[in-house]
Amino acid sequence: MAEKSPARKSRFGLLTGVALAVIVVPVAGIGIFLATFDPNAYRGQIAEFLTEKLGRKVSLNGAMHLKIAGGPALEVNDIAIANPGWGARPDMAKIGQMALAVKIAPLLASPRRLEVTTVTLNDADVQLETSAQGAKNWEFKQAEPAQQKPLKAEPAQ
């Protein structure tokens, strides 16, 4: 049986090392990011962005977490979306927990995009109503296209 030449062994080792580096380095980087990223630092900016887009006050009152089980997702607890002034109660919706499953690749691409694949609501209390003039509280104003502002972490409180 012929033995492999030293040159062939070193090429195999080099290719194996490169393949491992191409796989391990990105996976480790994503793992470090997920372990150290705190979405709570962006709570104010996220609430402000949603308020601007919906034309209604959005409050993110509870803890926010990144989850990776079953695919990457942002979990937000204790959310409130205000009713229009004519509504029967102050909040149109109160949501105990919401999870947004997202695609990773668009977040890493340039320009960055957020692609939500699934929205899951738990403990949601939503009141849909129509005003005497026929306005519906589930119809939100169309936000003007705004300049993209970079997200900046807020100091921990």
Side-chain angles (χ1 to χ4, degrees):
M1 182 173 208
E3 277 196 40
K4 293 181 181 176
S5 70
R8 186 171 264 224
K9 285 181 184 179
S10 67
R11 271 190 253 139
F12 178 74
L14 178 64
L15 288 175
T16 302
V18 169
L20 284 175
V22 167
I23 294 169
V24 171
V25 171
V27 169
I30 291 170
I32 291 169
F33 171 78
L34 291 174
T36 60
F37 180 74
D38 181 13
N40 291 291
Y42 300 94
R43 173 192 317 279
Q45 287 180 284
I46 294 169
E48 182 182 316
F49 174 80
L50 293 171
T51 296
E52 183 180 306
K53 290 297 180 189
L54 295 178
R56 305 253 186 91
K57 174 95 170 124
V58 175
S59 302
L60 306 175
N61 304 311
M64 299 169 60
H65 307 282
L66 282 178
K67 301 287 184 180
I68 55 173
L74 175 64
E75 181 182 283
V76 185
N77 296 288
D78 192 10
I79 303 164
I81 302 171
N83 233 339
W86 52 261
R89 64 183 193 186
D91 293 322
M92 173 193 147
K94 289 186 177 192
I95 303 164
Q97 183 181 73
M98 177 175 68
L100 300 171
V102 299
K103 290 183 178 179
I104 290 286
L107 290 172
L108 302 175
S110 182
R112 290 188 178 102
R113 292 184 335 270
L114 176 64
E115 287 189 27
V116 177
T117 58
T118 306
V119 176
T120 305
L121 303 177
N122 290 311
D123 192 23
D125 176 15
V126 180
Q127 182 172 357
L128 302 178
E129 54 188 325
T130 305
S131 74
Q133 293 75 30
K136 298 166 181 62
N137 74 337
W138 63 89
E139 293 179 338
F140 298 95
K141 79 165 186 120
Q142 292 295 314
E144 296 292 322
Q147 286 285 38
Q148 195 77 8
K149 292 186 273 182
L151 290 177
K152 294 184 180 168
E154 298 169 356
Q157 296 179 13

